[in-house]
Structure formats: C-alpha cells, structure tokens
C-alpha cells in the first residue's frame, strides 16, 4: 500500500469521530510522508496543527496505523508550510462546498412544536448580561418539573434586547426543555410574522374560531419578536383573546421583543399592560469574558480549532451581537485554514471591521446577490412573487438591514417601493431560514464574502 492510500484509509477510520468540516479543513493538509521500519513521518502545515494533532489524535492515528502495519511504534512530524494540495486551484471551491449540515450541529426543526432542537441550555452561556431572563426561564422550567404547571409570577415572561443577543435561543431552549421533561405537553414556538399570517388567513377563510381554539390548547406558547404585531389590529384582537384564555387555563406564555412593552408603538394599551403583568427582563450585550466564553462554546460546538489570539481579537472587536461573533468565527476559520497564519487572519478580519459599512453600497449588495442567484436587478425589484425572485429579494433586504443598517422604509424604497412591513417580514424570513437551513447559512456566508471581498 502506498503512503497516500494508507493515509486515506486512516482518514476514513476518523469519519464519524470528527466533523466533516474538520476533516476537510485540517486533514486534507496533512500527509503521510515517509515510512521506515517502526516510524512514520507525517507532514503538517504548521506548529499549530502539529500540536492539535498530537494532543487530540496521536493515539488514534497510531492505533489505526498499527492495524495496517503492526510494527509501527512512533510518529514523527515535519512542518512543511509551503506544501500545497495537489489541486490547489480547486481547493477554494471545495471549501465553500463544505457541508454544514453534515457538521455535528443539528438544524432540525420539529414540525409540530416549531422548535429548533439546536437551541438548548447545554450550549447557552449564562452571564451577568442575561442573568435575569435566564433565571426566570429556569424558574419556569422548574415549575413544570415540580408542579407540572406554570409560574404565575413569570406569566408572561417578556424578554427584550437588540438583535443577536439570544432571545430566540433562550425562548426555544425553554420550549425544548419543557418538552424534554414532559413529553405530553403541547409546546408551540412561532415567530410573530408567521403568527400574524396564520391569523390573517384564518380571518379570510372564516376559520378564526378554529385557530383560536388551537392556540388555546397549548400548554406553552412562545411568540418570538412580538413587535411585529404592531399595526395589525385583527391579529391583536385575536391574540388578546388567546392570551387571556391561556393565562386563565394555567398555560405559560413567553414573548420576545426588540424593546420593552412601554416602548412598543401601534400596539393596543390593553395588550401592553398584559405584557407588563408578568415578568419583563432584558438582555444586555455581553462583556469581554462572556464573549470569550461564548466564542469558545461556539468553536467547540462546530469543532472549530483556532489559536486563542484570534478568538481574543474577535471578542475584543465584536461587542454588540452574538450572531456576528459566530459569523466572524466561521470566517476566521476559513481564512486560517487557507494560510495558517494568525497575524494575516487578524489583519484580514480587521480590514473587514474597519471599513465594511462605509465601503459597500446598496447597489453593490444588489449586484452581488443578483449575481449569486443569477437574476437581473429588474427582476429582483419587480412585484413578481415567483420563488426564484422572492428569496434573492429578501436576502437583499436582510443584508441592507443587517450589514448596512438601513431602515426598513428606506430599504422598501430601494427595492421597488415596497412597504416597510414587507421588508420587515422579508428580513425575518431570512433570519429564520439562516437558523434552520445549514446550506442556506453557507450561501449567505459566501455572499458576504463576495460583498466584502475577502
Ligand atoms: P436574537 O433572537 O436576540 O436576535 P438569537 O437567539 O437568534 O438572538 O441569537 C443569535 C445567535 O447567538 C444564535 O446563534 C445563538 O445561538 C447565539 N447566542 C445568543 N446568546 C447566546 C448565549 N448566551 N450562549 C450561546 N450562544 C448564544
Ligand atoms: Mg430572534
């Protein structure tokens, strides 16, 4: 057996033990160089990879080798930073094709409850920044555990914060945990825009009573981003009925919003006072140590291995949004994997931090997205509701809002004079899809990379 075949066989014995992401990223750069009596020499691209391999896989590699060549007793390493892959040109393509859905993260969404099983307390970091809402959440769960019913003090639990600080994660973790403890409980998670469209179509089809009865039957009802109910009078009317019935029946309600109840506009006073009737708790941005803890958890979850210096650099520079922390972590992983150089990765991410918002224009966003989906600008701003135009249109809305921080009404104007609620709904749809669809997350990462040109 030649060296490369032998190494392939060893790698195949690692499948399942290590995520595909890591297999593709790291092991593709490692080669079996030499075999001598009882020693093999492995070439690695950097000291970092050597140490990682030694600490985590030395024993496994040796055992696998011995299955083929029993007399092997020792592994030696040489560092060959310049050794390129045979198909170096192709490598960049395969990188962007790495299958996130194959990594160990489970993006599955439970159809009945609407809950995404990836959001649990196991991967949720609690610190000063989210202590109050997390404590309320634990108390709700404890009540289910001990008394099998909700906690009146925290009903509803109303959590608010800016985007990307963990509202959805926390709410879904409560839902998942209740279901874990009590399989028979009826738990429902629904983003507010979906709730609104459910109610509107019920009114249109004259099935309102059926829908109200359905919602009244839940033991736990979680509505995410309740601010989207603003200005929707029918939905508010129906939600008010559902809310009162649920509380009277002893069911638990959890809500999230981007602001406290008092600051909500175009929402009936009686609803706001119901929201304030339970517990209102906010999440603030995490401090440096908390950001490091979150980064380390995310890296562990995705099996991303990066020098601590890079993690610290990310934590120092991104302070307001945990989703962004995660995005830059993944970006850094790909960059580091390409050139194995901590300083150059830091330099490249720094470039992105320093300039992106100034550098890219709305036109650039539109061009990049249209190019990615292979459609024209005219099609994307049209009124057509064909699937192949709606998704890119919503991606543009999402990027203009999240990357360029444009307001919803101004995005509406740019994208063919659409209403700001349409834009809000579009952004929300994309956020949901990113969370639930690993392939789509990968597409967005690629689009962002093209946008910022790194
Ligand atoms: P929001 O709903 O407030 O916009 P999300 O719940 O969607 O924020 O969180 C954004 C990302 O950050 C998600 O990927 C989530 O898993 C992660 N996240 C947020 N808070 C935490 C935390 N305390 N620990 C670990 N990950 C977190
Ligand atoms: Mg959310």
């Amino acid at each position: 057996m030649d060296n490369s075949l032998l190494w392939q066989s060893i790698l195949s014995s690692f499948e399942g033990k290590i995520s595909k992401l890591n297999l593709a990223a790291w092991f593709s750069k490692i080669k079996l160089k030499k075999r001598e009596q009882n020693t093999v020499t492995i070439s690695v691209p950097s000291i970092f990879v050597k140490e990682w391999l030694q600490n985590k896989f030395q024993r496994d590699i040796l055992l696998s080798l011995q299955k083929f060549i029993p007399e092997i007793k020792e592994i030696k390493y040489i560092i060959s930073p310049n050794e390129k892959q045979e198909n170096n040109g192709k490598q960049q393509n395969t990188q962007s094709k790495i299958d996130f859905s194959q990594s160990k993260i489970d993006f599955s969404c439970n159809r009945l409850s609407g809950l995404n099983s990836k959001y649990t307390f196991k991967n949720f970091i609690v610190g000063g920044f989210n202590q109050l809402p997390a404590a309320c959440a634990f108390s709700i769960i404890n009540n289910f555990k001990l008394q099998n019913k909700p906690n009146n003090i925290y009903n509803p639990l109303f959590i608010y914060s800016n985007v990307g600080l963990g509202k959805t994660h926390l709410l879904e973790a409560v839902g998942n945990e209740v279901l874990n403890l009590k399989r028979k409980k009826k738990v429902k998670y629904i983003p507010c825009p979906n709730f609104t469209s459910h109610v509107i179509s019920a009114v249109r089809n004259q099935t309102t009573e059926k829908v109200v009865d359905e919602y009244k039957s839940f033991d736990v009802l979680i509505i995410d981003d309740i601010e989207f109910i603003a200005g929707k009078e029918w939905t508010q009317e129906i939600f008010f009925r559902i809310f009162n019935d649920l509380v009277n029946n002893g069911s638990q309600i959890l809500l999230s919003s981007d602001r406290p109840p008092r600051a909500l506009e175009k929402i009936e006073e009686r609803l706001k006072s119901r929201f304030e009737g339970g517990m209102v708790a906010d999440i603030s941005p995490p401090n440096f140590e908390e950001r490091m803890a979150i980064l380390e958890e995310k890296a562990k979850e995705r099996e991303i291995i990066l020098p601590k210096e890079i993690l610290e650099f990310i934590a120092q520079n991104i302070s307001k949004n945990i989703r962004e922390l995660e995005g830059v972590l993944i970006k850094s992983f790909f960059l580091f994997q390409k050139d194995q150089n901590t300083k150059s990765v830091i330099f490249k991410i720094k470039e992105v931090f320093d300039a992106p918002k100034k550098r890219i224009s709305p036109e650039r966003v539109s061009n990049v997205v249209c190019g990615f989906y292979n459609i024209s600008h005219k099609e994307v701003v049209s009124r057509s509701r064909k699937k192949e135009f709606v998704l890119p249109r919503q991606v543009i809305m999402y990027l203009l809002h999240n990357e360029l921080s444009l307001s919803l009404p101004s995005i509406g104007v740019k994208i063919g004079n659409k209403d700001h609620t349409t834009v809000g709904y579009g952004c929300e749809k994309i956020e949901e899809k990113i969370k639930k669809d690993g392939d789509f997350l990968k597409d967005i990462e690629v689009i962002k990379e093209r946008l910022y040109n790194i």
Side-chain angles (χ1 to χ4, degrees):
M1 196 187 283
D2 76 4
N3 286 348
S4 95
L5 200 60
L6 177 59
W7 187 238
Q8 280 309 317
S9 316
I10 310 268
L11 288 192
S12 55
S13 68
F14 279 107
E15 269 180 38
K17 283 192 196 157
I18 177 169
S19 73
K20 284 233 162 96
L21 186 66
N22 265 320
L23 258 183
W26 296 118
F27 281 84
S28 62
K29 298 217 163 88
I30 302 168
K31 297 250 155 59
L32 204 162
K33 269 303 221 213
K34 250 194 313 195
R35 257 190 289 174
E36 289 150 328
Q37 291 167 349
N38 49 11
T39 313
V40 295
T41 305
I42 289 177
S43 84
V44 289
S46 66
I47 298 185
F48 176 76
V49 174
K50 177 190 157 198
E51 286 174 355
W52 173 70
L53 208 60
Q54 271 182 319
N55 291 339
K56 284 196 82 168
F57 294 104
Q58 169 109 338
R59 211 180 109 78
D60 287 338
I61 295 176
L62 195 60
L63 289 175
S64 299
L65 274 167
Q66 286 168 344
K67 278 191 203 140
F68 297 95
I69 314 168
E71 56 274 23
I72 300 285
K73 298 273 175 316
E74 194 191 351
I75 300 177
K76 285 189 183 157
Y77 295 91
I78 50 165
I79 296 169
S80 341
N82 295 326
E83 178 152 355
K84 296 272 186 271
Q85 289 250 183
E86 281 106 46
N87 281 325
N88 211 28
K90 277 190 193 156
Q91 211 206 329
Q92 291 197 348
N93 290 337
T94 47
Q95 271 167 16
S96 55
K97 283 199 184 118
I98 289 169
D99 189 355
F100 273 94
S101 58
Q102 293 287 327
S103 78
K104 292 208 169 153
I105 297 175
D106 183 2
F107 284 100
S108 63
C109 172
N110 178 318
R111 279 232 180 95
L112 277 180
S113 67
L115 287 165
N116 185 329
S117 58
K118 93 170 193 181
Y119 293 123
T120 67
F121 283 108
K122 262 198 230 125
N123 55 10
F124 189 76
I125 305 286
V126 178
F129 69 110
N130 59 9
Q131 204 139 34
L132 179 62
C136 300
F138 290 138
S139 162
I140 288 172
I141 289 164
N142 256 336
N143 258 52
F144 270 98
K145 206 177 201 165
L146 303 173
Q147 299 170 19
N148 205 16
K149 63 172 204 238
N151 186 328
N152 282 333
I153 312 170
Y154 303 136
N155 207 6
L157 173 59
F158 187 103
I159 299 176
Y160 73 93
S161 79
N162 285 337
V163 298
L165 289 176
K167 299 181 292 294
T168 299
H169 191 141
L170 182 57
L171 292 181
E172 295 212 43
V174 173
N176 280 319
E177 189 60 28
V178 170
L179 269 185
N180 241 346
L181 290 167
K182 310 271 172 188
R183 278 218 169 266
K184 296 223 170 80
K185 291 282 171 201
K186 284 181 79 178
V187 178
K188 180 73 183 173
Y189 165 86
I190 185 160
C192 188
N194 299 19
F195 175 71
T196 304
S197 47
H198 196 180
V199 170
I200 291 174
S201 63
V203 171
R204 199 174 293 141
N205 302 331
Q206 300 184 329
T207 52
T208 319
E209 291 315 308
K210 214 173 124 216
V211 169
V212 170
D213 284 345
E214 183 193 340
Y215 278 90
K216 273 169 26 185
S217 73
F218 295 123
D219 298 299
V220 178
L221 175 64
I222 305 169
I223 302 190
D224 207 355
D225 299 316
I226 194 71
E227 73 272 13
F228 277 94
I229 208 172
K232 313 267 182 352
E233 281 151 29
W234 278 344
T235 315
Q236 290 186 28
E237 174 76 34
I238 287 170
F239 181 53
F240 186 70
R241 279 176 57 197
I242 294 172
F243 187 104
N244 289 335
D245 277 334
L246 284 175
V247 172
N248 291 340
N249 292 345
S251 300
Q252 176 72 49
I253 299 173
L254 297 105
L255 304 169
S256 83
S257 158
D258 64 349
R259 65 199 84 173
R262 274 297 121 205
L264 288 166
E265 286 162 12
K266 295 194 191 157
I267 291 191
E268 289 174 31
E269 195 49 43
R270 56 179 186 171
L271 264 180
K272 286 197 226 178
S273 75
R274 288 290 188 287
F275 296 165
E276 284 175 327
M279 182 73 188
V280 177
D282 73 318
I283 307 181
S284 46
N287 66 24
F288 175 76
E289 284 81 12
E290 292 161 342
R291 296 199 293 274
M292 273 307 279
I294 292 167
L295 275 175
E296 278 162 7
E297 169 59 37
K298 297 288 167 196
K300 198 173 99 208
E301 206 177 317
R302 289 181 185 272
E303 298 189 353
I304 283 177
I305 321 239
L306 276 176
K308 201 157 183 164
E309 252 179 289
I310 297 183
L311 295 185
E312 280 172 356
F313 181 78
I314 302 174
Q316 270 154 9
N317 285 278
I318 296 183
S319 55
K320 298 201 170 67
N321 186 324
I322 298 173
R323 184 172 307 120
E324 214 178 324
L325 271 182
E326 234 178 324
V328 177
L329 175 75
I330 296 171
K331 206 169 279 170
S332 311
F333 173 72
F334 285 124
L335 287 172
F336 187 68
Q337 198 225 103
K338 267 184 220 164
D339 58 11
Q340 304 280 318
N341 183 320
T342 304
K343 285 216 173 73
S344 107
V345 172
I346 289 182
F347 180 79
K348 282 182 187 150
I349 335 174
K350 195 163 175 310
E351 263 185 349
V352 179
F353 291 155
D354 287 348
K357 306 239 147 75
K358 275 175 267 152
R359 220 173 49 202
I360 56 170
S361 61
E363 290 69 35
R364 180 164 171 80
V365 174
S366 169
N367 288 343
V368 169
V369 174
C370 288
F372 183 86
Y373 289 103
N374 204 12
I375 60 169
S376 72
H377 181 73
K378 213 167 139 202
E379 285 163 335
V380 97
V381 299
S382 70
R383 303 241 149 231
S384 162
R385 303 188 53 173
K386 277 192 193 159
K387 231 165 98 190
E388 59 267 38
F389 303 148
V390 172
L391 183 75
R393 189 177 297 147
Q394 292 180 333
V395 169
I396 295 178
M397 292 171 177
Y398 167 83
L399 291 171
L400 291 179
H401 192 49
N402 285 41
E403 299 294 306
L404 270 70
S405 308
L406 297 189
S407 70
L408 302 184
S410 75
I411 297 171
V413 172
K414 288 196 182 349
I415 195 115
N417 279 327
K418 308 277 186 302
D419 187 65
H420 71 95
T421 51
T422 311
V423 179
Y425 178 76
C427 295
E428 190 62 23
K429 275 274 172 211
I430 297 298
E431 278 190 20
E432 283 307 313
K433 197 164 163 58
I434 285 175
K435 279 184 227 154
K436 290 179 178 151
D437 178 348
D439 287 336
F440 183 66
L441 166 69
K442 207 169 57 189
D443 289 350
I444 295 290
E445 285 302 327
V446 171
I447 291 174
K448 280 201 209 162
E449 261 189 53
R450 288 190 192 168
L451 219 48
Y452 294 118
N453 245 341
I454 55 166

